[in-house]
């Protein structure tokens, strides 16, 4: 890459691509330790130690892979000091590429940012998405998301099959002679996801009252005749893209109140999906769900120290992060862009009756959507 004669701005990233989706998007390769990455003059470069250098040359999508050891020596010589770190190496890069302004994301490490400012480098924080183009998913990304959701479906299937093979004894579910707990069922889901090539994280298997707290992962024995929410959002080991699907099950006999709750959520999701298309706002889709729940007699309110009803957004973007832009909620007044990917996941939560959430993933099209997830909606297991 030719170094520029005139001063220029550069995007600067520092962190591990295992944990930072922007850095993974930038490099297209998993690196467990933090590294320096730059986008300057339309080219992408990264600085790696000997442990990773050869692999990065072969596997990364960077235009230029630089040696950390070489730049450490340059920094030692330039600044006449033995101990050099990321700050000094970035200063060398700024000098070599004549960078007068570094653009960083809002989650850029604050300690490094302060050190760079002390070194009189100009740091400009970009508000909002650092790579806005991440919101629009390519055909290749859609294939990854389909694979991620296929892994989610494998996990959900494992949960359903386990529940189907349980025996009801009193107020307990038994599988292979042992009480079936949320933890045990979650383990079966997670193993299935791993076998499908995806790493699960905090899989939700929550029944009864626990299911009424949407992000409670669940613990303790699962009960017959109670609604059980299974929310599976694993990350593909190969690419880092996610799946995110939710189904609700009940082993035993549902009450009329439970049947009404589930059928209302199912219909709300159908209504929301029918409106998904380019240009509609997240707020409009969310409003359709809220209005339908109210008309169906399901009111949202705060009771003592908890909420009941429908008190979360209808959906969110999905990609290298499990929650990313765009949002499908009351605050998103912008029209959905063509080829964005969102979840559609209405839910109702009433202690004493139970919780139900149904979630699928779609890509926004001009006059509708493409479904990226696939699993049936039958929920009662007699």
């Amino acid at each position: 890459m030719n170094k520029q004669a005139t001063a220029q701005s550069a995007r600067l990233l520092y962190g591990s691509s295992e944990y930072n989706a922007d850095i993974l998007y930038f490099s297209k390769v998993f690196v467990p330790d933090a590294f320096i990455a730059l986008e300057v003059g339309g080219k992408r470069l990264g600085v790696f130690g000997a442990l990773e250098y050869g692999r990065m040359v072969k596997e990364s999508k960077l235009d230029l892979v630089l040696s950390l050891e070489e730049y450490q020596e340059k920094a030692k010589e330039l600044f006449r000091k033995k101990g050099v770190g990321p700050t000094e190496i970035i200063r060398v890069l700024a000098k070599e590429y004549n960078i007068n302004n570094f653009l960083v994301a809002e989650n850029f490490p604050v300690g490094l940012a302060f050190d760079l400012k002390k070194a009189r480098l100009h740091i400009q924080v970009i508000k909002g998405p650092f790579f806005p183009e991440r919101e629009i998913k390519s055909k290749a990304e859609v294939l990854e998301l389909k694979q991620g959701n296929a892994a989610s479906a494998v996990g959900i299937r494992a949960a359903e099959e386990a529940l189907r093979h349980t025996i009801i004894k009193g107020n307990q579910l038994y599988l292979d002679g042992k009480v079936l707990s949320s933890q045990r069922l979650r383990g079966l889901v997670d193993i299935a996801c791993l076998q499908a090539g995806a790493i699960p994280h905090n899989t939700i298997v929550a029944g009864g009252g626990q299911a009424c707290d949407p992000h409670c992962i669940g613990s303790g024995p699962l009960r017959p005749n109670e609604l059980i929410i299974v929310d599976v959002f694993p990350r593909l080991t190969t690419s880092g893209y996610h799946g995110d699907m939710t189904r609700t099950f009940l082993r035993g006999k549902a009450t009329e109140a439970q049947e009404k709750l589930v059928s209302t959520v199912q219909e709300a999701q159908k209504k929301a999906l029918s409106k998904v298309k380019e240009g509609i706002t997240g707020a409009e889709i969310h409003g359709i769900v809220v209005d339908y729940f109210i008309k169906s007699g399901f009111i949202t309110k705060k009771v003592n120290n908890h909420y009941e009803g429908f008190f979360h957004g209808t959906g969110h973007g999905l990609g290298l992060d499990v929650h990313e832009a765009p949002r499908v909620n009351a605050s998103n007044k912008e029209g959905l862009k063509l080829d964005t990917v969102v979840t559609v996941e209405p839910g109702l939560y009433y202690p004493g009756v139970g919780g139900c959430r149904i979630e699928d993933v779609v890509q926004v099209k001009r006059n509708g959507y493409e479904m990226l997830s696939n699993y049936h909606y039958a929920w009662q297991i007699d």
Side-chain angles (χ1 to χ4, degrees):
M1 184 169 79
N2 294 326
K3 298 166 190 176
Q4 302 296 314
T6 57
Q8 57 188 329
S9 293
R11 291 181 195 253
L12 172 63
L13 302 99
Y14 183 76
S16 163
S17 57
E18 288 274 6
Y19 308 106
N20 185 304
D22 278 335
I23 299 175
L24 180 58
Y25 181 80
F26 183 84
S27 65
K28 301 295 191 294
V29 67
F30 286 114
V31 182
D33 297 315
F35 65 94
I36 297 166
L38 284 176
E39 184 176 49
V40 56
K43 302 292 184 180
R44 297 184 176 195
L45 62 87
V47 184
F48 301 93
L51 178 66
E52 298 287 5
Y53 182 86
R55 184 171 74 92
M56 293 305 102
V57 171
K58 297 173 185 175
E59 297 181 9
S60 80
K61 301 300 181 183
L62 298 168
D63 299 298
L64 185 61
V65 176
L66 303 176
S67 166
L68 174 63
E69 288 76 14
E70 289 181 12
Y71 273 81
Q72 286 174 332
E73 290 304 316
K74 289 181 180 182
K76 289 176 184 178
E77 183 177 345
L78 181 63
F79 301 114
R80 300 180 182 276
K81 58 189 297 190
K82 291 183 179 180
V84 297
T87 300
E88 289 75 26
I89 292 170
I90 292 168
R91 290 176 68 186
V92 173
L93 291 166
K95 182 178 179 63
E96 285 193 355
Y97 291 93
N98 201 18
I99 300 167
N100 65 349
N101 182 43
F102 284 107
L103 308 176
V104 301
E106 292 177 295
N107 62 352
F108 188 83
V110 65
L112 180 55
F114 276 119
D115 286 344
L116 293 173
K117 290 180 76 70
K118 285 180 183 178
R120 298 184 178 181
L121 294 177
H122 187 262
I123 304 297
Q124 179 182 348
V125 179
I126 301 300
K127 301 294 184 182
F130 196 56
F131 294 111
E133 60 269 30
R134 276 182 55 194
E135 189 172 336
I136 310 300
K137 301 302 190 290
S138 67
K139 290 182 180 179
E141 288 177 299
V142 167
L143 290 175
E144 297 291 341
L145 289 166
K146 284 182 177 180
Q147 186 178 340
N149 283 300
S152 293
V154 168
I156 292 172
R157 184 176 296 109
E160 182 184 6
E161 288 304 308
L163 289 168
R164 195 173 300 282
H165 285 88
T166 57
I167 296 173
I168 299 174
K169 293 182 182 179
N171 196 32
Q172 302 271 23
L173 293 176
Y174 288 81
L175 179 65
D176 298 330
K178 298 179 181 178
V179 172
L180 182 63
S181 65
S182 289
Q183 294 93 324
R184 188 179 172 198
L185 188 55
R186 179 164 46 252
L188 296 175
V189 172
D190 289 353
I191 289 170
C193 289
L194 286 168
Q195 291 175 334
I199 298 174
H201 183 69
N202 289 329
T203 300
I204 294 172
V205 179
Q210 292 180 355
C212 295
D213 185 350
H215 279 173
C216 175
I217 67 171
S219 62
L222 294 167
R223 309 291 184 185
N225 312 317
E226 288 188 340
L227 294 169
I228 301 168
I229 290 178
V230 181
D231 188 343
V232 187
F233 38 98
R235 187 189 196 198
L236 291 176
T237 58
T238 52
S239 66
Y241 285 87
H242 287 83
D244 193 6
M245 295 175 61
T246 307
R247 293 294 186 268
T248 300
F249 297 106
L250 181 144
R251 174 71 171 99
K253 180 66 175 176
T255 65
E256 288 186 9
Q258 289 169 330
E259 289 181 345
K260 182 180 179 183
L261 185 84
V262 175
S263 64
T264 302
V265 173
Q266 289 177 331
E267 186 61 27
Q269 195 205 33
K270 291 177 183 176
K271 289 181 178 297
L273 286 169
S274 72
K275 299 298 182 181
V276 173
K277 64 178 180 178
E278 181 187 12
I280 192 169
T281 69
E284 288 176 282
I285 296 172
H286 182 72
I288 289 165
V289 173
V290 171
D291 290 345
Y292 180 72
F293 282 156
I294 292 172
K295 290 176 182 177
S296 300
F298 291 96
I299 307 302
T300 299
K301 58 184 177 180
K302 187 176 182 180
V303 180
N304 297 324
N305 292 319
H306 70 272
Y307 285 91
E308 61 181 37
F310 178 48
F311 45 89
H312 58 71
T314 296
H316 55 81
L318 182 71
L320 291 173
D321 279 316
V322 74
H323 292 131
E324 60 181 48
R327 300 287 175 163
V328 184
N329 60 20
S331 64
N332 185 6
K333 310 294 185 181
E334 295 184 7
L336 296 179
K337 300 180 182 71
L338 181 67
D339 290 335
T340 53
V341 169
V342 296
T343 67
V344 179
E345 49 178 307
L348 287 172
Y349 313 91
Y350 290 92
V353 179
C356 173
R357 184 167 64 255
I358 301 170
E359 177 182 20
D360 283 294
V361 180
V362 300
Q363 184 174 38
V364 178
K365 295 299 181 182
R366 277 194 166 76
N367 296 305
Y369 62 89
E370 178 186 354
M371 184 72 79
L372 305 186
S373 57
N374 181 30
Y375 200 78
H376 69 77
Y377 302 95
W379 58 282
Q380 292 197 61
I381 304 172
D382 297 329

